[in-house]
Amino acid sequence: MPELPEVQTVINTLKDSGLLHKTIKDVLVYKVKLLKNSSPKQFQKFLIGEQVVNIERKGKFLIFHLSHRKTLVIHLRMEGKLFYEPNESNVPKAHLRIEFVLNNKHTLRYYDSRIFGTFHIYQGDAHLKAPQLTKLALDPLDSKFDWKYLKNHLSGSHRAIKTTLLDQTLVAGIGNIYADEILFLSHIHPLRKPSTLSDNDFKQLTKNSKLILNKAIKHGGTTVSSYKWDPNHYGGYQNLLLVHTKKGQPCPVCRTKIQKIKVNGRGTYFCARCQK
């Protein structure tokens, strides 16, 4: 699943590719279930003729700001991909779900093998009150996110710290991969309860969350399995992972073998010596 760095990489890639200020000439919907608050006809009518003004992110949601104060909000979920491609591209049809035909002989295509993605449309500032966005917490790259914010949101929890970091209503944007890496650098066991953490622990979590997410964005995110951010690009941060997917390999700090356990059903990697 794409996490905060991967979503930001998608945004950066689309902006760099030349999508901004292009006009949507046509919209082709091949899988209706992706549309969550409109019919295909409403979706098409709402978008055709609009220009892509800007693309932002909240947590893992992509927010497309269009002309006439319209907004398209997309969540990629497990396997969603947005590729900006020439119209004549020889594209695979098996997982092609939606096409946004543009006025410059290019098309923004949405691919999704699992069909878990979501598409919402909003007029004016209505997206700011949308339930899926209002329930999101701050993400670690927000200027208001500091160790006191993290402590206030997590310290009362008696769940595992790994589970709370994945709760988007407490901390937005962090997924399974980066939670493992953040906890390792912070020397915190994934099963430890936030209620037992010290102020210094929360300071370390905050510092390392910002450090790792920014570094992952710099390297184009992490590619796991088949996920990639455009047809010719794979993220580079998977080459820098310290513990995630490293079961049985030596810890980069103490050489103890990395262990894998399940935390609330999620595969979790850690060093039992560094993260007591």
Side-chain angles (χ1 to χ4, degrees):
M1 174 186 289
E3 303 178 22
L4 185 156
E6 289 74 54
V7 173
Q8 188 61 52
T9 298
V10 170
I11 292 173
N12 295 344
T13 300
L14 292 178
K15 285 184 173 182
D16 292 343
S17 69
L19 175 62
L20 294 187
H21 310 302
K22 301 303 183 296
T23 300
I24 301 171
K25 290 178 55 181
D26 198 7
V27 178
L28 306 173
V29 179
Y30 307 119
K31 194 57 72 170
V32 177
K33 67 173 289 187
L34 295 167
L35 310 184
K36 299 306 179 182
N37 68 341
S38 65
S39 68
K41 286 187 177 180
Q42 291 170 328
F43 191 73
Q44 292 164 334
K45 183 178 180 180
F46 186 86
L47 296 173
I48 292 174
E50 302 301 334
Q51 186 179 100
V52 181
V53 177
N54 195 17
I55 313 172
E56 296 181 323
R57 174 188 59 75
K58 184 171 184 180
K60 302 177 187 179
F61 285 86
L62 293 97
I63 303 175
F64 287 73
H65 294 283
L66 309 174
S67 49
H68 300 100
R69 301 188 69 240
K70 293 182 178 182
T71 305
L72 170 64
V73 178
I74 302 174
H75 198 301
L76 302 174
R77 298 296 178 185
M78 295 294 293
E79 282 285 338
K81 305 175 182 69
L82 283 167
F83 294 163
Y84 177 80
E85 303 169 318
N87 290 347
E88 65 275 10
S89 297
N90 184 20
V91 299
K93 300 294 185 180
H95 304 309
L96 178 58
R97 308 306 182 188
I98 298 178
E99 291 187 286
F100 303 90
V101 183
L102 306 168
N103 66 335
N104 66 336
K105 298 182 180 180
H106 280 67
T107 297
L108 178 64
R109 296 185 172 100
Y110 178 75
Y111 300 87
D112 192 342
S113 61
R114 305 288 292 275
I115 322 178
F116 289 159
T118 63
F119 287 70
H120 290 80
I121 53 174
Y122 299 99
Q123 182 68 57
D125 294 328
H127 68 287
L128 299 177
K129 299 178 182 179
Q132 68 271 28
L133 295 180
T134 56
K135 69 181 181 181
L136 287 177
L138 296 181
D139 70 56
L141 300 188
D142 193 294
S143 60
K144 298 177 182 177
F145 189 100
D146 59 17
W147 73 270
K148 291 181 180 179
Y149 173 90
L150 190 62
K151 180 181 178 180
N152 288 339
H153 281 72
L154 268 62
S155 61
S157 176
H158 295 286
R159 296 180 293 169
I161 181 63
K162 169 73 180 282
T163 301
T164 59
L165 287 177
L166 298 180
D167 186 338
Q168 302 298 295
T169 66
L170 299 176
V171 183
I174 296 178
N176 200 43
I177 297 170
Y178 298 110
D180 285 351
E181 298 294 294
I182 291 165
L183 290 171
F184 174 72
L185 280 189
S186 302
H187 303 288
I188 296 173
H189 193 285
L191 289 176
R192 191 171 171 187
K193 296 178 180 179
S195 57
T196 70
L197 298 180
S198 66
D199 285 355
N200 186 61
D201 290 328
F202 284 111
K203 289 177 183 178
Q204 290 299 310
L205 284 171
T206 301
K207 180 187 76 172
N208 291 320
S209 295
K210 294 177 182 290
L211 175 70
I212 287 174
L213 294 177
N214 275 314
K215 192 173 182 180
I217 291 171
K218 180 180 178 180
H219 288 271
T222 301
T223 298
V224 176
S225 185
S226 63
Y227 206 93
K228 53 185 179 178
W229 324 124
D230 70 47
N232 302 306
H233 173 75
Y234 287 84
Y237 195 70
Q238 69 270 14
N239 300 319
L240 303 176
L241 294 174
L242 299 171
V243 292
H244 190 78
T245 71
K246 306 293 185 181
K247 178 184 177 182
Q249 297 183 34
C251 167
V253 175
C254 71
R255 313 307 291 173
T256 300
K257 287 186 177 181
I258 299 298
Q259 296 183 24
K260 180 183 180 182
I261 59 173
K262 289 281 188 178
V263 178
N264 197 29
R266 306 301 296 273
T268 300
Y269 302 82
F270 71 103
C271 172
R273 184 173 181 180
C274 291
Q275 298 168 260
K276 293 183 180 180

